[in-house]
Each structure stands twice: as C-alpha cells, then as structure tokens.
Amino acid sequence: MTLVSEDFKHISAHKLVLSACSEYFKRLFQGIKQTQPVICLDGVNSTDVQNVLDYVYDGEVKIHQEDLDRFLNIANKLKL
C-alpha cells in the first residue's frame, strides 16, 4: 500500500504490518477492498510518516526532543 504525506511524498508500507500495530489502520483497511490502496495522511509530513514507519517496523525511533510532542500526537491519532 502507499501512504501519502501532506508534502505529497509517496511511501510504501505493508497493510498487514500497519494493521497489526495500529487499531486505526486495522479498522480503515477492513472497509477497503483494493489490494494496493493509497492513503492520504492529512497534517502528517513525510518525516513524520517515516518516523511512524520506523517505529512500526523496528520497534523504536530516534526523535529530537523538540519533535517528541508532535510524534506522540500522531501516534495517538493513529492509535499505535
């Protein structure tokens, strides 16, 4: 599948991995029948998307202190 950030970067990810780590994506994908959906993440820039994917795939992410609140808000929104 493809995630599109607010700055129009296209980032590939696996539906199964996102569904396993996020109740938001799990519920979203239940209503989508396409095998290669494109999901636009409003208000989430490409750096944020990459940070989320690093966390989902690697179980950890390195975030600068000044970006921590933003990351936690996005993680909360996506129910990670």
Side-chain angles (χ1 to χ4, degrees):
M1 62 144 317
T2 302
L3 297 171
V4 181
S5 62
E6 72 177 0
D7 50 345
F8 304 106
K9 300 275 172 108
H10 294 201
I11 302 169
S12 296
H14 298 93
K15 290 190 314 186
L16 182 64
V17 174
L18 292 176
S19 293
C21 296
S22 165
E23 185 64 27
Y24 174 87
F25 284 116
K26 181 179 179 180
R27 296 184 82 198
L28 179 68
F29 295 143
Q30 288 174 344
I32 296 176
K33 302 301 179 202
Q34 294 99 346
T35 57
Q36 295 294 324
V38 175
I39 306 297
C40 298
L41 297 174
D42 187 39
V44 182
N45 65 39
S46 57
T47 301
D48 296 331
V49 173
Q50 192 58 57
N51 286 337
V52 166
L53 292 179
D54 287 347
Y55 177 74
V56 167
Y57 280 89
D58 300 332
E60 65 181 14
V61 64
K62 293 182 181 182
I63 304 273
H64 292 289
Q65 183 68 35
E66 61 270 9
D67 299 327
L68 185 58
D69 285 338
R70 180 171 171 80
F71 176 78
L72 292 174
N73 287 333
I74 292 167
N76 187 46
K77 177 181 175 181
L78 299 177
K79 297 179 180 16
L80 294 178

